[in-house]
Amino acid sequence: MKWFKYISLCAVIVFTSGCSSWLYRMPIPQGNFLEQSDIDKLRVEMTREQVLYVLGQPIAKDAFDESNWYYLYQFNPGRDSEVRKELVVEFEGDKLKALRGDYETPETFNTPLGQ
């Protein structure tokens, strides 16, 4: 009778371990959360310092090529409601040159701040 309880308990543990998707996993956002309104503030020829002020620190910089900054955002990875966004900010020297990624380039992007 003792062995039957032990085997039953082991069987229940083994079969329920496959149900890990039933467990609650807290959604934790990772990376840089940016909205389109943040991107709309960017203008060509802004300095790196100005871009840092508007967007904050990038999640990644290329160690061998400092001309690109990567802003990545991920929420609910591995689920149906997964959200992924990416913005790559390209510099030429110390000045902002271009944007690419999942955000729209603002209409006023090609107008420098001083004009």
Side-chain angles (χ1 to χ4, degrees):
M1 189 64 162
K2 253 184 174 178
W3 286 103
F4 179 73
K5 287 181 183 180
Y6 179 71
I7 291 174
S8 297
L9 179 63
C10 288
V12 168
I13 290 172
V14 167
F15 288 122
T16 58
S17 67
C19 303
S20 63
S21 63
W22 295 350
L23 299 175
Y24 176 73
R25 291 185 297 174
M26 181 181 287
I28 299 173
Q30 297 176 352
N32 301 92
F33 178 75
L34 299 173
E35 293 184 355
Q36 186 62 45
S37 61
D38 299 323
I39 311 305
D40 293 341
K41 296 174 187 174
L42 297 176
R43 301 285 187 275
V44 71
E45 297 184 7
M46 286 178 82
T47 64
R48 291 176 188 260
E49 186 176 318
Q50 290 171 321
V51 174
L52 279 175
Y53 181 78
V54 173
L55 300 180
Q57 283 288 344
I59 196 80
K61 294 180 184 179
D62 191 338
F64 300 105
D65 181 15
E66 293 184 8
S67 64
N68 291 337
W69 288 357
Y70 300 92
Y71 291 87
L72 308 170
Y73 176 74
Q74 185 174 348
F75 185 69
N76 282 340
R79 296 187 183 173
D80 293 337
S81 61
E82 179 177 15
V83 176
R84 287 177 170 235
K85 293 260 187 168
E86 175 183 310
L87 175 70
V88 180
V89 179
E90 298 178 18
F91 292 95
E92 189 172 280
D94 189 42
K95 302 290 185 178
L96 178 60
K97 180 178 88 172
L99 304 172
R100 58 186 159 89
D102 297 323
Y103 297 91
E104 293 181 26
T105 302
E107 294 178 13
T108 57
F109 178 75
N110 291 319
T111 305
L113 280 177
Q115 297 180 358

